[in-house]
Amino acid sequence: MDRKDKERAGRGGIDKAACHPFLAAMAVQSANWPDIPTGTGRLEAGWITAAALFASDDAIEEYLRYEGSFHADMDRKTCAAAMMADYGYIFSTAVVPLFAGFGLIPDLSPRQFALRFYVTPLEHDGQVHEARRAHVRFLSPAFSTDRGNDTNTPCETAILDSGALCDLFRRSIEDHFRPLVGQLHARTGLARSALWRLVADAVAGTFLDAGRRFGRIEAAKATAMTVLKQPGSPLDNRQLHYFDLTLADEGHGAISHTFRARGGCCRHYTVDDGAVCPTCVLNTPERRDAELRQAMRHHVRKTMGMSS
């Protein structure tokens, strides 16, 4: 092994010069989504690959027990839905910004996707509760992109056109989640289709968030639908879509906001004091829009002083 090979091995196999677009994209992702920071390197103590997590009976059962710890009456199907929603958030937050903002897809195979879980306080609707989050580490330096002009050195880079890149992203998501869908279906009886809908919801939600943060919301929405609406894909369902609502206010004019209509359900309505979420697939469009408009009014009055 020559000097350059030794230096590269000492960095966990990542050549920082060659992988500059990859590292730069991860730096932006980590700054904007600090609860799920991404990085590269080796598998170290305290980290687990997604492949090992999905294959471990103990790890899956511990995750399900964690989800069930918040409500005494949560059934196994609801625990599975909560686990998929939480893991889907972690995965999508780590990878969608890289794709939506930089046209970049790392190796997302479960054996190359490592996590270090932690628990953090999370405020939602005025209440603070625990949330399971994770640091994510890509163990391979390989990535694919449709921005060939941005990469001057290979660093195991595959240059694809935009259509092929969207197709690769969809297949990478499917391949990553297929073992977990199988595990949760077998253990809890929650339908595979219900689990896949939760995966698609998580990905679509993060595309919308990334589009807002990067100032390219329409492009992000269009790309999300290209990825998620391929006939025959388990991610495809007709209920998942984006929609806009507008409020009229004399002081600020028309105020619009884009929402994601979910194709899946987290089953929160099944627990004590639970309810159907506004954008849940089980909600009616009329009730959904009324609830969301009320939330918009509350937010605008609080932040902008909207007139009554």
Side-chain angles (χ1 to χ4, degrees):
M1 180 182 292
D2 62 22
R3 181 177 59 83
K4 289 185 178 180
D5 288 336
K6 290 179 180 178
E7 291 175 353
R8 186 176 295 111
R11 292 191 294 265
I14 305 294
D15 187 314
K16 291 186 177 182
C19 294
H20 173 70
F22 192 9
L23 298 175
M26 287 186 294
V28 173
Q29 183 279 334
S30 298
N32 283 275
W33 289 269
D35 58 334
I36 313 291
T38 57
T40 58
R42 297 170 175 165
L43 186 66
E44 298 176 328
W47 293 77
I48 185 173
T49 65
L53 171 66
F54 300 162
S56 171
D57 293 343
D58 291 342
I60 294 291
E61 287 299 326
E62 188 279 327
Y63 213 134
L64 291 171
R65 285 193 298 271
Y66 165 81
E67 299 294 356
S69 67
F70 299 101
H71 299 277
D73 58 342
M74 279 182 72
D75 61 31
R76 294 275 286 177
K77 289 183 179 180
T78 305
C79 291
M83 177 178 172
M84 185 60 86
D86 279 359
Y87 185 83
Y89 171 82
I90 292 169
F91 175 89
S92 63
T93 302
V95 305
V96 169
L98 304 180
F99 182 72
F102 301 92
L104 188 152
I105 305 174
D107 185 341
L108 300 179
S109 59
R111 69 181 183 280
Q112 298 291 354
F113 190 92
L115 307 105
R116 185 175 64 189
F117 289 102
Y118 69 98
V119 174
T120 185
L122 179 68
E123 183 177 352
H124 181 68
D125 291 339
Q127 296 183 342
V128 178
H129 60 90
E130 286 186 347
R132 175 166 286 193
R133 297 291 185 254
H135 295 229
V136 169
R137 178 174 291 177
F138 302 107
L139 303 182
S140 169
F143 65 93
S144 300
T145 183
D146 61 354
R147 304 181 186 182
N149 292 335
D150 293 341
T151 53
N152 297 319
T153 49
C155 187
E156 302 184 35
T157 306
I159 308 298
L160 306 174
D161 63 42
S162 59
L165 198 71
C166 284
D167 186 62
L168 173 63
F169 194 44
R170 173 187 56 78
R171 288 186 285 105
S172 296
I173 295 169
E174 293 172 0
D175 291 345
H176 185 98
F177 278 92
R178 192 169 285 111
L180 182 57
V181 168
Q183 273 273 27
L184 294 179
H185 170 69
R187 290 175 179 277
T188 70
L190 186 59
R192 294 176 187 270
S193 59
L195 292 161
W196 281 114
R197 284 169 176 259
L198 291 167
V199 177
D201 286 348
V203 173
T206 309
F207 263 107
L208 188 57
D209 188 20
R212 288 195 182 104
R213 293 175 189 248
F214 294 145
R216 55 188 75 166
I217 190 168
E218 294 303 322
K221 288 162 53 181
T223 302
M225 293 297 96
T226 298
V227 170
L228 297 171
K229 294 287 190 175
Q230 289 301 309
S233 169
L235 298 167
D236 181 30
N237 65 80
R238 65 183 180 84
Q239 289 86 358
L240 175 63
H241 64 279
Y242 299 112
F243 64 98
D244 297 327
L245 291 179
T246 302
L247 289 178
D249 175 58
E250 293 180 359
H252 302 92
I255 299 170
S256 297
H257 193 74
T258 301
F259 296 92
R260 168 205 54 182
R262 301 184 187 190
C265 175
C266 66
R267 294 177 55 88
H268 180 65
Y269 74 93
T270 67
V271 304
D272 188 30
D273 296 328
V276 172
C277 303
T279 58
C280 179
V281 69
L282 299 181
N283 210 354
T284 65
E286 295 77 16
R287 186 172 64 183
R288 175 199 71 192
D289 292 355
E291 292 174 351
L292 291 174
R293 281 197 171 95
Q294 183 59 36
M296 289 173 67
R297 290 188 186 96
H298 176 76
H299 175 75
V300 172
R301 286 169 183 159
K302 182 178 178 180
T303 59
M304 301 173 62
M306 179 180 179
S307 58
S308 300

